[in-house]
Amino acid sequence: MPSPQDDKKEFSLRLKQALKRSPKKINTPTELEVEFNLRHKGDSISQQAAQKWMSGLARPTPDKIETLAEWLNVSARWLRYGFAEDRPAPIAERKHQPKKSVPAIQPTEDELKLLARLRSLGEHRRNLVIEILEQFSLEQEMWSDYSRDN
C-alpha cells in the first residue's frame, strides 16, 4: 500500500499535468493561489499551501479537490486517486465486493503487427513508445471522466 507521502507526490504529479492542460497556464504556486481563490467558495489558500500541493508535501481537502477538478476540467476522482470513474475504488473505499473475472483479450491482426514492430525496437525506443501510449491513455481517461461528469 502506498504511503501517505507517496499519495501526496502522486497527487502533485496529477495536479501539474492538469495545470499544463488548462487554458491559462499556471506555473507557480502564486499563480495557483490566485486562480484557485477566485474559484473556491470556502476558505482561501495561501501561497504556501499551493506550494505544498505542487511539491507533493500536502494534498488538499476533498472540497478543494472538487474546486480544482471543476476548474481544470478533470474528474475529481482522477485528481484525488489517479483513476477513472469506471475503475475500481481504492481499497479503503471498497466494501467486500465480489471479484469479477476479466475476459481474455484476442488481439487483432493489426495489433499483432504493432506488437511485432514494438518488440523489434531497441529498449530506449520501446520505452518511449510505451510512455507515449500511457500518456494518451491517461489523457483519454481524464477527459472522458470530465465529459461524463458534465
Side-chain angles (χ1 to χ4, degrees), residues 29-80:
T30 302
E31 293 169 337
L32 175 58
E33 171 203 9
V34 170
E35 293 298 321
F36 177 85
N37 288 336
L38 288 172
R39 292 164 174 82
H40 189 62
K41 294 178 180 25
D43 294 334
S44 61
I45 65 164
S46 65
Q47 184 271 337
Q48 290 81 8
Q51 172 64 36
K52 288 179 181 180
W53 295 355
M54 292 179 83
S55 64
L57 295 175
R59 187 171 68 177
T61 57
D63 65 312
K64 289 180 172 61
I65 289 176
E66 288 290 333
T67 299
L68 286 166
E70 187 176 317
W71 164 35
L72 299 170
N73 295 332
V74 297
S75 158
R77 192 163 189 224
W78 174 81
L79 190 57
R80 186 170 185 183

Side-chain angles (χ1 to χ4, degrees), residues 86-89 94 97-103:
D86 58 349
R87 285 209 179 158
R94 292 184 208 157
Q97 299 173 343
K99 292 185 179 180
K100 298 175 185 175
S101 62
V102 178

Side-chain angles (χ1 to χ4, degrees), residues 6-130:
D6 291 340
D7 289 342
K8 293 171 188 173
K9 292 276 186 206
E10 290 170 9
F11 168 81
S12 170
L13 293 173
R14 289 188 297 275
L15 175 62
K16 288 175 189 175
Q17 185 174 15
L19 288 169
K20 279 185 199 174
R21 290 174 176 13
S22 69
K24 180 173 181 166
K25 300 299 179 230
I26 305 296
N27 297 310
T28 68
T30 302
E31 293 169 337
L32 175 58
E33 171 203 9
V34 170
E35 293 298 321
F36 177 85
N37 288 336
L38 288 172
R39 292 164 174 82
H40 189 62
K41 294 178 180 25
D43 294 334
S44 61
I45 65 164
S46 65
Q47 184 271 337
Q48 290 81 8
Q51 172 64 36
K52 288 179 181 180
W53 295 355
M54 292 179 83
S55 64
L57 295 175
R59 187 171 68 177
T61 57
D63 65 312
K64 289 180 172 61
I65 289 176
E66 288 290 333
T67 299
L68 286 166
E70 187 176 317
W71 164 35
L72 299 170
N73 295 332
V74 297
S75 158
R77 192 163 189 224
W78 174 81
L79 190 57
R80 186 170 185 183
Y81 299 114
F83 49 77
E85 298 298 328
D86 58 349
R87 285 209 179 158
I91 293 173
E93 283 187 11
R94 292 184 208 157
K95 306 260 184 197
H96 300 283
Q97 299 173 343
K99 292 185 179 180
K100 298 175 185 175
S101 62
V102 178
I105 297 173
Q106 296 297 321
T108 65
E109 187 70 30
D110 287 340
E111 290 168 336
L112 289 171
K113 287 177 186 176
L114 284 171
L115 180 58
R117 287 182 178 172
L118 180 65
R119 287 182 175 173
S120 72
L121 296 174
E123 183 180 358
H124 177 71
R125 288 185 175 178
R126 190 172 44 250
N127 288 337
L128 287 173
V129 171
I130 290 169

